[in-house]
Amino acid sequence: MSLHSSIEAKLLALDPVHLEVVNESHMHSVPANSETHFRVTVVSERFDGQPLLARHRVVNGMLEEELAAGVHALALHTRTPDEWFAQGGAVPESPPCLGGSKTT
């Protein structure tokens, strides 16, 4: 199973209203077809009443194996359904990579 698929499968345990896992590795200085950089958006009622740091700890704990297996960067957007709809169902795009050979 790919890291992308594994991340999606594990986060389904949060009963998300919306789940999006985007492999952004191609935006970085890594070999083709890498799975090292991900942007994750998860909208779940389970985040109600939880501060942002607690939400991120939940997701990081669920993805402990994937983080140990080579995920270098994980951009998390964790929202409650109310927050998600109030923000128009969108999250910011990831900024361009400025490290490695991308700047040369």
Side-chain angles (χ1 to χ4, degrees):
M1 176 183 289
S2 70
L3 285 173
H4 184 273
S5 297
S6 181
I7 290 169
E8 281 185 336
K10 287 187 176 181
L11 294 179
L12 287 174
L14 293 171
D15 298 319
V17 172
H18 177 80
L19 175 62
E20 183 178 18
V21 178
V22 178
N23 182 350
E24 296 184 329
S25 302
H26 67 280
M27 297 166 52
H28 301 273
S29 298
V30 296
N33 302 316
S34 290
E35 290 189 300
T36 56
H37 296 70
F38 290 91
R39 178 171 39 96
V40 173
T41 304
V42 59
V43 181
S44 174
E45 290 180 2
R46 296 201 186 172
F47 294 142
D48 283 340
Q50 289 189 0
L52 186 62
L53 185 57
R55 298 173 190 188
H56 287 202
R57 284 181 176 149
V58 167
V59 173
N60 284 330
M62 295 175 78
L63 302 179
E64 209 172 319
E65 292 176 2
E66 290 73 15
L67 292 168
V71 172
H72 171 73
L74 187 63
L76 296 178
H77 301 281
T78 54
R79 307 285 192 268
T80 66
D82 288 344
E83 293 167 342
W84 177 248
F85 294 115
Q87 295 171 354
V91 296
E93 292 293 320
S94 296
C97 178
L98 297 178
S101 65
K102 291 290 184 184
T103 59
T104 58

